[in-house]
Amino acid sequence: MRLLLDDFYTAGLDPLLLALATEPNAEVRLFNPFVNGRAHAFTRWIDFFADFRRLNHRMHNKLFVADGAFAIAGGRNLADEYFLRSTTANFIDLEVVMAGPVVPELAGIFDRYWNSEVVYPLATVAASPDTPEQLRSAFETATSGPGTPEPEPPDAPDTFGEGPLGEQLDSGRMPWIRALAQAEADSPTKALGEGPFPTETLARSTQAMAAQARSEITIVSPYFIPGDEGVARIRALRERGVQVTVATNSLADSDEPLVNIHYNRYRVALLQAGVTLYEVSSHQLKRRGQFRRLLKQARGRLHAKLALIDREWVLLGSMNLDPRSARLNTEVGVRIRSSELAHALVYAYHMDDIDGVYRVALQPDGQNVQWVSTGDDGADEVLTEEPDSSLLTRLQLLLFSWFVPTDQL
């Protein structure tokens, strides 16, 4: 078992990770690790600003490969809130399970990162005075017992009408979709921030694919900052008659609200270009029985990263449509040519008539936006202020946004 972690959010985890690394046939490595003050978030922030140029570059990849036979890729991180286990806020995510020739491609990507110059064995940057036996005992205590209850059984059937994946694997009957799939990832040394900006990145290849669209593009991205260049590309698509639909998080339900403040600067231009724009909202999601049951009292936040092109190509992975994914983080993705999968996603997520969202539209003056939702009685509700957020919150975020450049988000 090889575990490769980006080191940004591992504060306080060194004892657990060191214990895991003492298990037979287990190895842990860290991408672009912190060297000083590893144990505490505060001291890590000091190290971060002292070594900002290096530590600002992170690995955002999400990838799971089993026995060289199966692979899972998408946007999901490994934390409670990505498996609907948080009582405060959970993420709505998407990934694909793959077999066939694309799996060696993904395994090769993992190996390239595992052996890269920006990845270090855990033991070279972290140590513990405890013996391996003591580390393992503490690991068992921390990861078992009443503090770590078993998750609830998965819904059956799921959104696609299929039973739990574990049952499908055990029975040997999985409803595979045969399709052409290709894996792609940024170079791990993109994180070095040295030399000219690389010409081949996942962001640029995605832009090239989108530019070839003939009829429609549907984009799902929790963090969406198109920038002036992105708006120009979208405008060029619209001038060719390509329908463009974008779904992202609302301000109130984003875990990175500063991103939304910067995204807000482009909303009017997008709408003027004829983009269909949606913002995901917990309040709206819970009007659907399925999400009301899954989320319970917790907020719901979009985290899936997905693009459908002409209902023929499906692009998914870890990449958001923002400057950080394009320039600062490394990303991995899969492009799949399959009308069957594209239409299944359209059907499962109601992309022809997206619900659980606010539809963002221009006000009659054509210079400001409004949010339209369907009320409980079927009538449209129209809001002219950011939904579910206070004026104080919006002013605070606007103030902070002056100090955080767009290219860092």
Side-chain angles (χ1 to χ4, degrees), residues 18-270:
L18 287 165
L20 184 60
T22 66
E23 294 288 345
N25 302 318
E27 188 174 358
V28 180
R29 294 186 182 182
L30 301 175
F31 183 95
N32 202 16
F34 286 76
V35 177
N36 303 307
R38 293 188 50 80
H40 304 287
F42 178 74
T43 50
R44 279 187 174 221
W45 279 112
I46 294 175
D47 195 29
F48 178 77
F49 288 112
D51 196 7
F52 180 80
R53 188 168 181 269
R54 178 179 71 87
L55 292 174
N56 190 39
H57 301 279
R58 309 308 321 171
M59 181 185 71
H60 196 237
N61 309 15
K62 298 93 166 56
L63 177 62
F64 179 92
V65 181
D67 296 334
F70 294 94
I72 299 175
R76 194 184 309 270
N77 294 303
L78 297 182
D80 284 352
E81 57 267 32
Y82 295 91
F83 294 87
L84 300 175
R85 299 190 69 188
S86 170
T87 58
T88 55
N90 287 302
F91 290 102
I92 301 165
D93 228 312
L94 174 73
E95 62 255 303
V96 291
V97 180
M98 295 164 283
V102 71
V103 176
E105 293 180 17
L106 290 164
I109 288 171
F110 180 90
D111 287 339
R112 186 168 10 126
Y113 274 76
W114 183 260
N115 296 306
S116 74
E117 59 192 283
V118 290
V119 168
Y120 293 78
L122 175 65
T124 64
V125 295
S128 172
D130 295 335
T131 65
E133 292 75 16
Q134 290 172 322
L135 287 170
R136 285 195 290 269
S137 176
F139 182 92
E140 291 301 323
T141 300
T143 59
S144 60
T148 56
E150 290 293 321
E152 296 179 8
D155 283 353
D158 65 8
T159 303
F160 295 93
E162 305 293 344
L165 178 61
E167 293 180 4
Q168 295 179 37
L169 289 170
D170 289 341
S171 68
R173 296 189 298 271
M174 294 188 65
W176 293 105
I177 294 175
R178 295 182 63 86
L180 175 67
Q182 180 180 3
E184 187 175 1
D186 292 324
S187 166
T189 55
K190 173 185 176 182
L192 293 175
E194 299 174 352
F197 182 66
T199 57
E200 293 299 326
T201 64
L202 186 58
R204 294 199 175 187
S205 66
T206 300
Q207 292 166 7
M209 282 285 295
Q212 299 173 21
R214 302 183 304 275
S215 59
E216 64 175 275
I217 296 178
T218 299
I219 296 168
V220 178
S221 181
Y223 318 115
F224 181 64
I225 304 178
D228 293 336
E229 292 182 5
V231 171
R233 286 191 292 268
I234 290 173
R235 189 177 289 117
L237 288 168
R238 292 292 302 127
E239 290 172 353
R240 292 200 289 108
V242 176
Q243 178 182 340
V244 180
T245 301
V246 177
T248 190
N249 277 313
S250 65
L251 174 62
D253 286 291
S254 175
D255 65 316
E256 298 287 352
L258 274 177
V259 170
N260 279 63
I261 292 294
H262 286 267
Y263 141 75
N264 293 353
R265 299 172 180 175
Y266 301 99
R267 279 192 301 214
V268 170
L270 292 169

Side-chain angles (χ1 to χ4, degrees), residues 15-16 25 54 102 126 128 144 149 165 167 193 205 212 241 274 282 308 318 324 329 337 342 355 373 376 378:
L16 290 177
N25 302 318
R54 178 179 71 87
V102 71
S128 172
S144 60
L165 178 61
E167 293 180 4
S205 66
Q212 299 173 21
S282 285
L308 304 179
S318 66
R324 173 161 285 277
N329 292 343
R337 188 173 189 175
D355 54 6
S373 70
D376 294 329

